[in-house]
Amino acid sequence: MKWTEIKKPILGLAPMADMTDSPFCRIMREIGGADVLFREMVSSEALVRNSEKTLKMTSFVEKERPTVQQIFGSNPEVMARAARIILDKYNPEGIDINMGCPVYKMTSNFNGAALMKDPELIGKIVKAVKTEIGDVPLSAKIRLGWSDPDQFKKIIPVLEENGVGLISIHGRTKDQGYSGKSDWNRIAEAKKMTNVPLLANGDINTPELVDEVLKITKADGVLIGRGALGNPWFFYQYKNPEKNITLEDRIKMIKKHAKLHIDFYGERGIVTFRKHLAWYFKVDKIGENIPKIKEFRSKLVRVESLVEMEEYLSILLHKK
């Protein structure tokens, strides 16, 4: 998969920790619309230590292709070895380097967005990984900067010089976290200076905003994160704006997603599926007025079994 060969705009699902796993990506593929799925980040250190749990996180089924696996770490050699392990085991269409995660657990160990403070280290990591993976596409996800929103201007040339073929940029700094607004105008500045495809990320919460962000940024595509949580129809709706997703459609897909999740994680997987239920039933995700939906949602996110979840969903449909 060459980024330059994907029809513009490129529509990508963003890598999101604990969310963009194999079950969720299978649902995304069944609904359709996305050009590429970026899988949740995994630790390079854990991979080279032969962590079975971490390796399983990178597994996927053929229907999910094309898929790109994101890795994080700050040791160039370890990052390169981790990329090779993933390619040898599952052979995804690409490897992505996380340079944008703002959470303390990551940055305190100089992972994620912390890398943006050290362009020289970024260059070493990218070069090491690219040397290891050869012709396999390498991409990187960054933010505007650590605290300086113009820091990306120093980072982008380093990424390109060392072999990155696609850049995704979130329009906030690490210090902003997810507060304030994504600066689409600065993403436009980033686009002007890039020689490789660039994807815009941040605050593209509804399909209707895709064209707006593309118009402002002139980006080659978008990377959709939280906009797709609770709404795996995001890309489908962008391409088919006349299509309405009914409550019946939503419940049918939730049941299918839950079963895939439990098949992947085991019976207690219903507990970790609650986070998806919380997103599926956010008021702004449903798209229609359902009486006492918040009360219903609070019960749903405490379910202990698949049967209990299905009972609640049946009650909701019956009340409607």
Side-chain angles (χ1 to χ4, degrees):
M1 177 189 67
K2 294 183 179 179
W3 301 114
T4 53
E5 294 176 354
I6 298 178
K7 184 179 178 181
K8 307 296 192 307
I10 299 170
L11 304 176
L13 174 68
M16 292 177 282
D18 298 323
M19 301 303 284
T20 52
D21 55 9
S22 183
F24 184 65
C25 287
R26 277 184 255 180
I27 290 297
M28 293 294 300
R29 279 288 177 235
E30 179 171 332
I31 293 171
D35 294 310
V36 60
L37 308 178
F38 286 79
R39 295 291 300 278
E40 63 177 320
M41 64 182 177
V42 293
S43 164
S44 58
E45 295 283 352
L47 282 170
V48 299
R49 291 198 302 268
N50 299 315
S51 166
E52 290 187 14
K53 179 181 177 182
T54 304
L55 189 60
K56 182 181 179 181
M57 289 171 66
T58 70
S59 68
F60 60 91
V61 299
E62 287 298 306
K63 291 181 180 179
E64 292 175 55
R65 294 185 186 276
T67 184
V68 175
Q69 180 60 58
Q70 187 182 77
I71 58 176
F72 72 86
S74 56
N75 183 308
E77 180 185 349
V78 172
M79 288 284 280
R81 287 169 56 198
R84 172 49 57 194
I85 290 169
I86 293 168
L87 290 179
D88 288 347
K89 183 69 174 179
Y90 298 115
N91 193 33
E93 277 66 37
I95 297 292
D96 187 69
I97 300 176
N98 185 311
M99 301 182 186
C101 183
V103 302
Y104 178 77
K105 184 178 179 181
M106 288 280 286
T107 59
S108 61
N109 290 315
F110 215 80
N111 296 317
L115 292 177
M116 296 197 70
K117 295 191 287 185
D118 193 339
E120 184 178 353
L121 178 58
I122 284 178
K124 291 178 180 178
I125 291 172
V126 172
K127 186 176 182 179
V129 174
K130 187 57 182 174
T131 299
E132 181 63 42
I133 69 176
D135 292 336
V136 175
L138 177 63
S139 55
K141 189 170 189 295
I142 65 174
R143 285 188 165 235
L144 296 181
W146 177 264
S147 56
D148 177 3
D150 289 318
Q151 204 165 12
F152 67 90
K153 295 175 182 178
K154 296 179 180 178
I155 302 300
I156 287 176
V158 175
L159 295 174
E160 293 186 341
E161 289 165 10
N162 288 282
V164 162
L166 175 136
I167 297 169
S168 303
I169 183 167
H170 183 101
R172 291 181 175 86
T173 62
K174 180 273 171 190
D175 281 353
Q176 284 180 285
Y178 294 100
S179 64
K181 291 185 178 181
S182 179
D183 192 337
W184 293 351
N185 290 316
R186 274 196 167 84
I187 295 179
E189 292 181 40
K191 172 55 189 170
K192 288 178 181 178
M193 64 181 291
T194 55
N195 297 301
V196 300
L198 180 134
L199 303 184
N201 176 242
D203 290 354
I204 313 170
N205 298 319
T206 64
E208 293 77 19
L209 288 173
V210 171
D211 286 335
E212 183 179 344
V213 71
L214 290 174
K215 181 179 179 181
I216 292 172
T217 65
K218 302 296 190 293
D220 298 283
V222 293
L223 198 64
I224 304 301
R226 288 174 291 174
L229 296 181
N231 184 24
W233 298 270
F234 188 100
F235 301 105
Y236 174 82
Q237 289 177 314
Y238 172 67
K239 293 182 175 180
N240 303 277
E242 74 287 354
K243 298 290 186 179
N244 181 46
I245 307 304
T246 66
L247 181 61
E248 288 81 1
D249 294 331
R250 176 171 295 272
I251 288 178
K252 181 180 178 180
M253 197 56 68
I254 290 170
K255 289 180 178 179
K256 184 170 290 187
H257 187 181
K259 289 176 181 175
L260 287 173
H261 193 90
I262 290 172
D263 286 344
F264 192 77
Y265 294 105
E267 282 302 318
R268 292 302 293 166
I270 191 65
V271 174
T272 54
F273 189 70
R274 292 169 180 169
K275 63 198 173 205
H276 287 287
L277 290 170
W279 279 98
Y280 275 120
F281 288 99
K282 283 175 69 75
V283 174
D284 61 341
K285 297 284 183 176
I286 299 174
E288 60 181 286
N289 182 37
I290 300 177
K292 297 183 178 180
I293 188 61
K294 290 184 178 179
E295 179 182 324
F296 171 80
R297 180 171 174 258
S298 67
K299 294 178 179 178
L300 196 61
V301 297
R302 289 196 286 269
V303 294
E304 292 286 343
S305 69
L306 183 62
V307 171
E308 185 181 5
M309 182 202 79
E310 291 178 336
E311 287 176 352
Y312 275 125
L313 295 178
S314 295
I315 291 172
L316 182 63
L317 270 180
H318 181 70
K319 282 186 176 180
K320 188 187 181 236

